[in-house]
Amino acid sequence: MDLTLVALVIAALAVAALCFCVFAMISMRKAAEKDGRDGVEFTGRISQLTETLAATQAQTADRFQAQERAIGKLLEERLGDLTKRVGDRLQDHATRNQTALGALGERLAVIDQAQKNITELSSQVVGLQDILANKQARGAFGEVQLSDIVTSILPPSAYSFQATIGENRRVDCLLHLPNPPGSIAIDSKFPLESYQALQEAKDDAASLQARRTFVADVRKHVKDIAERYIVAGETAESALMFLPSEAVYAELHANFRNVVEDSYRARVWIVSPTTLMATLNTVRAVLKDVRMREQAGVIQSEVQKMMVDVGRLDDRVDKLQRHFQQADRDIRDIRTSADKITKRGERIEELQLEDAEDDAAELPPPAQPRLVVD
């Protein structure tokens, strides 16, 4: 763009120079006519000016051509550079778009998988609703949940499922506890229809009717458990009613406190999955304490036997100590005898030395040798 502007400026200057030359020719012509000069001289000047103008035009044309070639070359370079930049940017955009499309494809695959999972979960929820809609299936669902909780907390010897008590009555679960309190029965109940009606009530009349139905169902379950699964002399004086739904348990304790108090008076304790786990942990602690008390007699017997062994060990250590003391006395006696023998030997040795010295004093001195001189 800058070179184009320069070219335009040069062209404007050339036009201005041409106009100046024409204006100068006209001025010279007028001056010649005014001064009365000769036409030949004027013609010569005109010819000279024309040649100068032609030379200027030729130079200008050459400059224009040179500028045009330079501008063309620069435009080609600029166009090539621009083309390269555009190509690079297009390539970059294409790469980015390809990467974005790949990431989009991956996300779409994840979304598709999530959609499949949601569809599968929806079918499972529908299946769960079908299960809960059937009373027998709902009862089996509660029993399975009860079984999972009990087996995950207590040892196998502490419970039994579908146990028979009383007059051939089967209870969902029977906890084996020592007396007192005795075995505790757990029965699973699920008042789902009345609870759903209570939640779906549109007006006060429907809500009141649903509340009455819900209270009646829960009280009926409590009464059945108290009459069927609390057997004097066979079970504890209380039983547990297991609600497999935390929502039903929360609704019962939040808005139907009188029903909960009635269950307390009937010695039927209503529990949810969470409170049942806490109760079973307490039962496990009780069973552990009972086992420890049962083992207390065995431990005491073993301790008594160990004390007898300790007494025997003490006697044997005492005997061994006496043996050591006797051996020590014997060693001291032996050392005393050895000292006496050593002293006697020293005395004998001293006597022998004295006798040898006396004998040496009694002997005559040895004869001196004589020298014989021939």
Side-chain angles (χ1 to χ4, degrees), residues 319-336:
K319 291 179 180 179
L320 182 61
Q321 185 177 6
R322 289 198 298 270
H323 287 308
F324 281 151
Q325 291 175 353
Q326 183 64 40
D328 185 60
R329 286 195 297 269
D330 293 340
I331 291 172
R332 287 199 299 269
D333 293 341
I334 292 171
R335 180 169 292 177
T336 302

Side-chain angles (χ1 to χ4, degrees), residues 28-262:
M28 290 175 65
R29 183 176 181 181
K30 288 181 178 181
E33 290 177 353
K34 184 177 180 181
D35 295 336
R37 295 178 179 178
D38 187 46
V40 176
E41 184 180 357
F42 176 74
T43 303
R45 291 184 178 182
I46 291 296
S47 299
Q48 184 180 1
L49 183 61
T50 302
E51 292 175 358
T52 302
L53 181 61
T56 303
Q57 289 179 351
Q59 293 178 358
T60 303
D62 293 337
R63 290 179 181 177
F64 276 141
Q65 291 178 358
Q67 292 293 333
E68 183 179 359
R69 287 193 296 271
I71 291 172
K73 182 178 180 181
L74 183 60
L75 287 176
E76 289 180 359
E77 292 177 356
R78 293 288 180 90
L79 183 60
D81 187 26
L82 181 61
T83 304
K84 184 176 182 302
R85 290 182 181 179
V86 172
D88 292 341
R89 290 187 179 181
L90 289 176
Q91 182 66 29
D92 187 29
H93 284 299
T95 304
R96 291 182 181 179
N97 291 334
Q98 186 176 1
T99 303
L101 289 175
L104 181 61
E106 294 177 358
R107 292 181 180 178
L108 288 176
V110 173
I111 293 173
D112 185 51
Q113 184 64 33
Q115 183 67 30
K116 291 180 181 179
N117 294 335
I118 292 173
T119 304
E120 184 179 357
L121 182 61
S122 300
S123 63
Q124 293 177 359
V125 171
V126 173
L128 180 61
Q129 290 179 351
D130 294 338
I131 291 174
L132 297 180
N134 188 308
K135 290 185 177 181
Q136 293 181 352
R138 185 165 66 244
F141 173 75
E143 292 175 5
V144 170
Q145 190 172 4
L146 174 62
S147 174
D148 292 340
I149 295 174
V150 173
T151 54
S152 64
I153 297 177
L154 297 180
S157 61
Y159 59 85
S160 58
F161 296 106
Q162 298 301 321
T164 302
I165 60 175
E167 297 177 358
N168 199 19
R169 296 170 181 170
R170 288 187 176 274
V171 64
D172 292 338
C173 180
L174 186 65
L175 303 179
H176 303 298
L177 296 176
N179 291 318
S183 299
I184 299 178
I186 306 176
D187 192 62
S188 176
K189 298 296 182 183
F190 206 153
L192 182 63
E193 291 87 352
S194 57
Y195 174 74
Q196 289 180 342
L198 179 63
Q199 298 298 317
E200 297 172 358
K202 302 298 183 181
D203 51 16
D204 294 339
S207 177
L208 181 60
Q209 181 61 35
R211 289 173 65 89
R212 289 177 180 175
T213 304
F214 182 72
V215 169
D217 289 344
V218 175
R219 283 179 174 169
K220 182 179 182 302
H221 292 325
V222 170
K223 182 180 178 182
D224 291 342
I225 292 173
E227 291 178 353
R228 293 171 59 86
Y229 304 128
I230 299 178
V231 182
E234 186 174 352
T235 64
E237 296 179 354
S238 60
L240 298 179
M241 174 180 168
F242 175 62
L243 293 178
S245 173
E246 295 286 352
V248 177
Y249 179 82
E251 179 71 23
L252 186 63
H253 279 262
N255 300 319
F256 300 94
R257 187 65 186 176
N258 55 341
V259 179
V260 177
E261 292 176 353
D262 291 341

